[in-house]
């Protein structure tokens, strides 16, 4: 049985502990739905001030919602739309301090104010995105971005 322990220390230290917990959850398991489900729950409960944390997977045409924690979300997101689409299209992490100022932002939960979306690539191909939303404007900083990018990388490596 997995048991999470409270994160302590600086933000980079906390993300290092979270990464260790993620690696222990992912260990020996390649199923992407199982891993995405557990990582969503881990992140949502460990990272403060989130109202949504989860995955969208690329079906070859658009992004389709996968395992997540938070309110029910938009099912399909075209690559030309939203913060998630921008991350998928550009291959670059999108960190948006004010989603209301982001052209084309898709408001799945009206409470969302800032967003962090990390693209997921496996063997050179887009497989989806990891998306975190917060009701707090400017919630995500460099430490959050580096920490969540490391978790996303661990997720991708577990698929190999
Ligand atoms: N806000 C996202 C859509 C997904 S929800 O936040 C869960 C976007 O603009 O792509």
């Amino acid at each position: 049985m997995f048991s999470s322990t409270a994160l302590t220390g600086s933000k980079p230290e906390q993300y290092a502990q979270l990464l260790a917990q993620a690696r222990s959850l992912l260990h020996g398991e390649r199923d992407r739905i199982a891993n995405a489900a557990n990582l969503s729950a881990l992140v949502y409960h460990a990272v403060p001030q989130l109202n949504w944390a989860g995955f969208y997977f690329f079906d070859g045409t658009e992004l389709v919602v996968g395992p997540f924690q938070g309110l029910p979300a938009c099912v399909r997101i075209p690559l030309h739309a939203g913060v998630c689409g921008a991350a998928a299209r550009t291959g670059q992490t999108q960190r948006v301090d004010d989603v209301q100022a982001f052209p084309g932002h898709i408001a799945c939960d009206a409470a969302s104010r800032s967003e962090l979306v990390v693209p997921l690539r496996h063997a050179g191909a887009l497989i989806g995105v990891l998306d975190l939303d917060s009701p707090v404007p400017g919630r995500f900083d460099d430490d959050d971005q580096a920490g969540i990018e490391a978790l996303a990388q661990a997720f991708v490596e577990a698929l190999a």
Side-chain angles (χ1 to χ4, degrees):
M1 180 68 190
F2 175 82
S3 67
S4 65
T5 48
L7 306 178
T8 57
S10 67
K11 273 179 84 171
E13 288 167 345
Q14 293 187 31
Y15 274 111
Q17 293 155 28
L18 192 59
L19 181 60
Q21 293 182 7
R23 287 197 196 287
S24 110
L25 274 174
L26 297 169
H27 182 71
E29 182 54 67
R30 293 177 55 187
D31 187 277
R32 80 173 185 173
I33 299 298
N35 288 341
N38 266 336
L39 275 194
S40 302
L42 182 72
V43 168
Y44 187 79
H45 290 284
V47 177
Q49 299 178 309
L50 299 183
N51 61 325
W52 204 89
F55 289 76
Y56 278 84
F57 290 122
F58 184 55
D59 72 353
T61 303
E62 55 193 355
L63 296 167
V64 183
V65 75
F68 66 91
Q69 302 271 310
L71 289 180
C74 336
V75 176
R76 291 177 180 273
I77 300 177
L79 294 200
H80 63 76
V83 186
C84 291
R89 193 173 66 248
T90 64
Q92 305 289 319
T93 296
Q94 303 291 307
R95 201 168 97 205
V96 179
D97 285 343
D98 176 4
V99 294
Q100 290 166 341
F102 187 95
H105 169 254
I106 301 165
C108 294
D109 180 344
S112 295
R113 285 293 174 273
S114 57
E115 185 157 359
L116 178 67
V117 185
V118 179
L120 305 169
R121 300 186 74 83
H122 184 233
L126 174 69
I127 58 167
V129 301
L130 172 56
D131 180 16
L132 273 60
D133 286 32
S134 172
V136 179
R139 161 67 184 80
F140 304 104
D141 64 12
D142 287 344
D143 291 334
D144 296 298
Q145 180 171 341
I148 298 303
E149 285 176 343
L151 286 180
Q153 185 61 27
F155 172 80
V156 169
E157 286 169 6
L159 303 175

